[in-house]
Amino acid sequence: MASHQGDRYADKTPQEGVVNAAMFADENTNLSPSAKQTYFKDHQILIPDSETKGFSFRKLWAFTGPGFLMSIAYLDPGNIQSDLKSGSTAMYKLLWVLLSATLLGLLMQRLSARLGVVTGLHLAEMCFRQYRKLPRLLVWIMIEVAIIGSDMQEVIGTAIALNLLSNSLIPLWAGVLITAVDTFTFLLLDRYGLRKLELLFGILISVMAIAFGYEYVVVAPNQIEVLKGMFIPWCENCDSRALLQAVGIIGAVIMPHNMYLHSALVKSRDVDRKKPEKVKEANRYFFIEACIALFVSFIINVFVVSVFAHGLYDKTNYQVHNVCVASGNDMADIFPKDNEYVDADLYKGGVFLGCQFGIAAMYIWTIGILAAGQSSTMTGCYSGQFAMEGFLNLQWARWKRVLLTRTVAIVPTFFVAFYSQINDMNDMNDYLNSIMSLQLPFALIPTIAFTSSKAIMGDFANGTLTIIASFLLAAVVIGINTYYVVQLVIDQFSTNYAVIAGVLIFGVFYLLLCLYLFLHMMATLGFCKSFSNSSFVEKYICSSATSNFILSNQSNYSSTSVMALEDSIRHQAGEL
């Protein structure tokens, strides 16, 4: 059998062999014989042929969609709150951090999209093939925690927006329940096709751009200061609050589950993986689209930071309270009569805009928050379904998976909203940002490992410079976010020894899981051949698929990759 397969692929070049291996993987994404692929298999968007070899707007339009859905994660209510806190805490001085985080996000999104385009498998499906069962399930749990945390932020943002729009007639707990309708809205819209859903996302992003752009024009921040904050990497006279906020920006902008989402969304385009030039073309156009989408999201984030940098920086609660009283706003009491600096959040930010710039500014701000919450809710549903589909090889009906993920997010948020005040909801946002930032290694490390592997990506594997840059940036981001979480725990629970003990126990478990991913990456990339070929790696680190993918000793791995993938699929199907 092996000899026959070897002859079958012996005339293929390495690049063609990897593309064919990817095709085989795409056709066998679900190892369970009775399973059916949930998305994109029968409804892929066709890419038009073009006689010209240069850039084609027609082709770019065909590829446009996945990047904008991905960019929603950069505009969710958690990010918006991080933006306004950044402006009110450090004025324009942290805009360069926002720019840097967005560029880093672009790098990682590029890698995740390339993985989906080249292999025909999204990141969760590749994790199913590469990791042993126990660590794979643990990584899945971590990603689900990130998805649920993001979903809770979206629920909070939507509830706050509804409360402001109704002049507090809709209480927060009722707003949380109303967001449950998003489950059925998502299912209804999804039935009309991906292209129409992408159009809806485009409309929601446009609403955010118009709403927050209106605030930017009305507030009229200093344009020179905006540009200085964006391109001068320094934070003069910044205190510890500003430093912690800078760390929070990175954690809020780069979402771990977003890499899983993007690698799956690119499968919605009909790319001929038998032709390397078509794969290369898809990678190029998806990257251009991601650049445009993240540029739009960055501008919208800049609008929010700048509005509150101009309006709330160095303002005390007493000052803003007086402004609200003078304007006749009956929500003035939300700002206590003290000389503490305003602790800005989504709710207080909207009330302040209404007091300072007219009630229309508050309602327009609220519409922008509502659009952010609704759009990110739907992409969160997609992320949850792709993660479950890939990590567990589980093919539940869509409504079951959406209902499960939404219920897990809505139930705890409902109880917080029912028994707490508005400030508790906003504090919850900060905790959720820190929780999601902890999950980043479980997206960054697999993305870098798989896209850097020649055995998986062939000639489309990352170059040395990209690998080094990815390693360094990932290490910086992980280190920064770990610092942020440690500081948050120290500030909030320094005297609660039970919490500290729990954090330490979790920390040991967390580091061990990160160590497994790191060792697996070293084995997959074959940096140290003696380590990669050791019995320890074979027994404890790599699955059968991983071992077969490590082909660093072979110059032509085309036929071996296909045979290895076939053997791996049969083996894992038997285990299931």
Side-chain angles (χ1 to χ4, degrees):
M1 178 67 177
S3 175
H4 172 73
Q5 289 173 328
D7 294 337
R8 178 182 170 189
Y9 295 101
D11 59 336
K12 302 292 185 182
T13 65
Q15 190 177 40
E16 291 172 327
V18 171
V19 173
N20 282 323
M23 281 186 60
F24 185 90
D26 191 34
E27 293 165 0
N28 294 276
T29 294
N30 307 294
L31 305 184
S32 176
S34 61
K36 293 183 179 179
Q37 191 170 359
T38 307
Y39 290 105
F40 309 144
K41 189 174 181 64
D42 301 317
H43 303 286
Q44 290 183 321
I45 294 170
L46 298 177
I47 306 301
D49 289 326
S50 176
E51 295 181 359
T52 59
K53 295 184 178 181
F55 178 80
S56 168
F57 280 103
R58 189 161 168 249
K59 283 190 176 181
L60 178 61
W61 176 249
F63 282 105
T64 296
F68 280 91
L69 268 68
M70 167 273 295
S71 72
I72 293 295
Y74 293 73
L75 295 168
D76 70 356
N79 271 296
I80 301 301
Q81 175 151 314
S82 177
D83 291 337
L84 67 89
K85 280 181 172 289
S86 169
S88 62
T89 301
M91 214 169 182
Y92 310 101
K93 299 173 185 176
L94 297 180
L95 281 173
W96 66 271
V97 178
L98 176 63
L99 175 60
S100 302
T102 304
L103 292 175
L104 174 58
L106 175 63
L107 170 63
M108 300 312 300
Q109 297 300 158
R110 171 179 174 266
L111 296 185
S112 66
R114 285 170 65 86
L115 179 68
V117 170
V118 174
T119 67
L121 299 171
H122 60 68
L123 185 54
E125 290 170 332
M126 189 61 73
C127 288
F128 181 87
R129 285 152 180 76
Q130 292 290 295
Y131 296 141
R132 288 191 169 274
K133 186 174 182 179
L134 178 59
R136 168 169 53 85
L137 292 177
L138 293 176
V139 172
W140 169 67
I141 291 172
M142 291 296 193
I143 297 303
E144 286 294 343
V145 167
I147 293 170
I148 292 169
S150 176
D151 214 11
M152 292 177 73
Q153 286 186 320
E154 293 143 14
V155 171
I156 292 171
T158 302
I160 290 173
L162 291 172
N163 183 268
L164 277 173
L165 276 175
S166 66
N167 198 25
S168 299
L169 291 177
I170 300 177
L172 291 175
W173 62 266
V176 171
L177 291 180
I178 290 172
T179 59
V181 178
D182 293 339
T183 301
F184 306 101
T185 303
F186 171 78
L187 291 171
L188 177 65
L189 292 171
D190 196 39
R191 292 176 64 88
Y192 286 94
L194 181 63
R195 211 54 170 153
K196 291 183 176 63
L197 192 63
E198 289 173 348
L199 176 61
L200 174 63
F201 280 109
I203 293 172
L204 291 173
I205 292 173
S206 299
V207 169
M208 283 185 270
I210 293 170
F212 300 140
Y214 169 85
E215 309 290 356
Y216 186 83
V217 172
V218 169
V219 174
N222 187 314
Q223 303 302 304
I224 301 299
E225 292 299 317
V226 171
L227 292 175
K228 285 172 61 179
M230 199 180 299
F231 296 110
I232 298 178
W234 191 247
C235 191
E236 188 176 0
N237 300 323
C238 286
D239 56 16
S240 58
R241 291 189 313 145
L243 176 61
L244 202 58
Q245 190 54 47
V247 175
I249 290 173
I250 299 174
V253 167
I254 305 172
M255 297 286 192
H257 58 281
N258 214 31
M259 294 170 216
Y260 289 85
L261 173 67
H262 200 192
S263 64
L265 289 173
V266 296
K267 293 171 61 178
S268 63
R269 269 51 181 180
D270 186 18
V271 178
D272 187 357
R273 293 185 181 85
K274 291 179 290 186
K275 299 178 180 178
E277 65 274 11
K278 294 293 184 182
V279 176
K280 185 176 181 180
E281 176 188 73
N283 285 333
R284 182 173 71 252
Y285 279 106
F286 275 130
F287 179 62
I288 294 172
E289 187 229 1
C291 288
I292 296 171
L294 289 188
F295 175 75
V296 172
S297 72
F298 173 70
I299 294 300
I300 294 173
N301 282 314
V302 168
F303 286 162
V304 178
V305 173
S306 302
V307 164
F308 291 96
H310 180 83
L312 274 184
Y313 176 70
D314 213 22
K315 293 286 182 64
T316 65
N317 287 313
Y318 189 72
Q319 289 174 313
V320 178
H321 178 89
N322 288 340
V323 171
C324 290
V325 170
S327 66
N329 193 309
D330 57 5
M331 298 181 186
D333 290 339
I334 196 173
F335 300 99
K337 297 178 182 179
D338 59 38
N339 289 319
E340 297 291 328
Y341 289 120
V342 175
D343 185 14
D345 53 46
L346 296 176
Y347 191 84
K348 289 179 182 177
V351 173
F352 162 73
L353 290 173
C355 296
Q356 184 76 48
F357 302 103
I359 197 66
M362 184 188 80
Y363 285 124
I364 292 172
W365 162 261
T366 305
I367 290 170
I369 297 298
L370 188 61
Q374 293 300 291
S375 57
S376 53
T377 289
M378 288 184 278
T379 55
C381 287
Y382 261 136
S383 299
Q385 294 187 59
F386 289 136
M388 191 176 292
E389 176 185 273
F391 277 106
L392 303 182
N393 188 39
L394 183 62
Q395 297 296 318
W396 282 9
R398 298 185 194 185
W399 69 269
K400 291 181 181 179
R401 283 187 282 181
V402 174
L403 189 61
L404 174 64
T405 55
R406 297 294 287 156
T407 300
V408 173
I410 285 174
V411 169
T413 311
F414 170 78
F415 282 106
V416 172
F418 191 82
Y419 292 106
S420 306
Q421 302 298 318
I422 187 71
N423 288 337
D424 298 314
M425 296 283 282
N426 286 297
D427 291 341
M428 192 175 174
N429 247 329
D430 295 331
Y431 291 122
L432 291 172
N433 273 337
S434 65
I435 289 172
M436 286 186 290
S437 68
L438 276 178
Q439 317 310 319
L440 271 174
F442 310 112
L444 290 178
I445 296 176
T447 300
I448 295 171
F450 301 153
T451 57
S452 299
S453 170
K454 283 277 188 182
I456 295 175
M457 299 287 286
D459 288 347
F460 295 103
N462 297 331
T464 304
L465 185 61
T466 301
I467 294 175
I468 294 173
S470 301
F471 271 129
L472 293 177
L473 291 173
V476 169
V477 170
I478 292 170
I480 285 175
N481 284 309
T482 303
Y483 167 81
Y484 176 74
V485 173
V486 170
Q487 285 297 116
L488 190 65
V489 171
I490 291 174
D491 291 343
Q492 300 293 328
F493 306 104
S494 58
T495 58
N496 191 325
Y497 296 110
V499 172
I500 297 295
V503 169
L504 290 175
I505 294 171
F506 173 78
V508 172
F509 153 78
Y510 178 86
L511 291 175
L512 287 175
L513 187 54
C514 289
L515 178 62
Y516 170 84
L517 295 181
F518 180 77
L519 293 177
H520 182 280
M521 178 170 61
M522 294 298 100
T524 302
L525 300 186
F527 284 161
C528 179
K529 293 181 181 179
S530 59
F531 172 74
S532 300
N533 297 325
S534 66
S535 58
F536 170 80
V537 168
E538 183 178 350
K539 186 174 181 180
Y540 297 108
I541 303 297
C542 295
S543 69
S544 58
T546 308
S547 301
N548 287 324
F549 266 127
I550 299 172
L551 303 162
S552 56
N553 294 326
Q554 301 182 31
S555 59
N556 186 324
Y557 48 79
S558 56
S559 59
T560 313
S561 294
V562 176
M563 289 187 290
L565 194 53
E566 290 173 346
D567 292 341
S568 168
I569 289 173
R570 292 192 192 92
H571 176 71
Q572 294 189 50
E575 287 182 347
L576 292 172

